[in-house]
């Protein structure tokens, strides 16, 4: 009887600890970790978790964003071949959203970015997809002047499109500054989209010869997430090269 009583006491004491340890991470937590560490297996885990959510425009947008983020991680590797599968998922989801809501600013912005990545995979598609990417970026701005995702992607499109084909780093910088200002700063360190906006903003500042301002942005990102791999080991050191 005494042993049974001791067992019950131990169970009552340890059960909350075991329960906390067994908590399954949310897809938001997984994507943040995937983005910070450039970990493709974590992106895959987040994608599979999102696929289990009930169908909706929000689910489609979330799945598209996450697949787009995974493709970005592939672009940091020598072999970019796996990016095509992620971009296909993102494009299908975004096109489905736009069939239902032709004025969905975030979807237009993200589709512009997805098409830009498709060009990077196959430059032979540059002429056709470049024009299409630009049209979606323009629609993102038309329908989403206060949408940080739309502004971020339109800004990125202007930043990385060659000037002779319509790129404009100065205008891209302005859009990225506006995008950054619209995010909820109380969640900034836990939102991979905001951290992504900071990396683009820093690159825009660097490309427009404002390296100390870029350094300040990168240091802000590291203050939020000290183990932010891309900033810590690539973007920040690149300013001094």
């Amino acid at each position: 009887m005494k042993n049974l009583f001791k067992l019950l006491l131990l169970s009552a004491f340890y059960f909350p600890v075991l329960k906390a340890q067994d908590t399954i991470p949310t897809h938001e937590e997984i994507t943040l970790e995937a983005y910070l560490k450039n970990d493709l297996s974590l992106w895959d885990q987040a994608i599979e978790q999102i696929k289990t959510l009930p169908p909706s425009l929000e689910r489609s947008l979330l799945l598209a964003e996450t697949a787009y983020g995974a493709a970005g991680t592939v672009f940091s590797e020598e072999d970019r071949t796996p990016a095509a599968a992620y971009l296909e998922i993102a494009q299908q989801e975004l096109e489905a959203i736009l069939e239902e809501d032709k004025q969905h600013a975030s979807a237009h912005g993200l589709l512009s970015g997805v098409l830009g990545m498709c060009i990077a995979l196959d430059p032979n598609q540059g002429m056709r997809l470049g024009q299409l990417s630009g049209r979606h970026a323009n629609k993102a701005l038309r329908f989403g002047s206060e949408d940080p995702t739309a502004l971020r992607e339109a800004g990125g499109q202007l930043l990385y499109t060659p000037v002779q084909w319509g790129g404009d780093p100065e205008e891209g910088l302005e859009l990225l500054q506006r995008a950054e200002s619209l995010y909820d700063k109380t969640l900034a360190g836990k939102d991979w989209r905001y951290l992504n906006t900071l990396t683009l903003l820093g690159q825009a500042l660097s490309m427009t010869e404002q390296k100390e301002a870029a350094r300040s942005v990168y240091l802000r990102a590291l203050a939020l997430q000290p183990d932010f791999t891309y900033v810590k080991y690539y973007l920040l050191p690149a300013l001094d090269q």
Side-chain angles (χ1 to χ4, degrees), residues 76-92:
S76 67
E77 305 293 332
E78 285 188 22
D79 180 12
R80 296 180 171 181
T81 307
Y86 294 115
L87 293 173
E88 183 177 359
I89 292 171
Q91 186 168 351
Q92 287 177 349

Side-chain angles (χ1 to χ4, degrees), residues 15-214:
F15 178 73
V17 177
L18 293 173
K19 186 177 180 181
Q21 289 175 340
D22 291 342
T23 300
I24 299 173
T26 65
H27 57 77
E28 290 93 347
E29 292 169 332
I30 298 169
T31 51
L32 175 62
E33 194 75 4
Y35 181 67
L36 292 173
K37 294 184 177 180
N38 279 340
D39 189 323
L40 204 56
S41 66
L42 288 175
W43 283 115
D44 288 338
Q45 187 178 334
I47 287 170
E48 291 308 310
Q49 191 176 120
I50 292 166
K51 285 180 178 179
T52 67
L53 298 175
S56 67
L57 285 183
E58 291 74 19
R59 171 193 177 276
S60 290
L61 186 67
L62 188 58
L63 182 55
E65 271 189 314
T66 307
Y68 181 42
T73 288
V74 176
F75 269 73
S76 67
E77 305 293 332
E78 285 188 22
D79 180 12
R80 296 180 171 181
T81 307
Y86 294 115
L87 293 173
E88 183 177 359
I89 292 171
Q91 186 168 351
Q92 287 177 349
E93 296 296 328
L94 293 168
E95 288 176 347
I97 291 172
L98 292 172
E99 281 184 13
E100 192 166 335
D101 180 1
K102 297 185 184 303
Q103 297 186 8
H104 199 296
S106 291
H108 279 297
L110 288 166
L111 188 50
S112 173
V114 166
L115 293 171
M117 279 194 180
C118 289
I119 294 170
L121 283 180
D122 183 5
N124 291 327
Q125 300 291 320
M127 186 67 70
R128 180 178 65 86
L129 295 184
Q131 293 178 347
L132 189 56
S133 175
R135 285 200 292 272
H136 283 293
N138 290 335
K139 288 179 180 180
L141 292 178
R142 188 191 318 162
F143 302 131
S145 60
E146 298 297 315
D147 183 319
T149 299
L151 293 169
R152 183 190 69 224
E153 294 302 322
Q157 197 263 350
L158 287 168
L159 197 63
Y160 287 106
T161 298
V163 174
Q164 63 268 31
W165 295 335
D168 187 335
E170 294 284 353
E171 187 179 350
L173 171 59
E174 291 180 11
L175 293 177
L176 289 165
Q177 287 171 326
R178 283 171 53 196
E180 189 276 334
S181 71
L182 291 169
Y183 279 94
D184 180 356
K185 302 305 187 296
T186 62
L187 302 174
K190 297 181 179 180
D191 186 346
W192 76 271
R193 303 164 191 82
Y194 176 70
L195 294 169
N196 180 231
T197 303
L198 287 183
T199 67
L200 287 169
L201 177 57
Q203 290 172 79
L205 289 164
S206 180
M207 290 172 68
T208 55
E209 304 301 324
Q210 301 178 68
K211 290 196 173 185
E212 289 312 307

Side-chain angles (χ1 to χ4, degrees), residues 217-229:
V217 169
Y218 294 150
L219 291 175
R220 281 169 53 200
L222 288 176
L224 292 169
Q225 287 290 349
D227 295 323
F228 193 168
T229 301

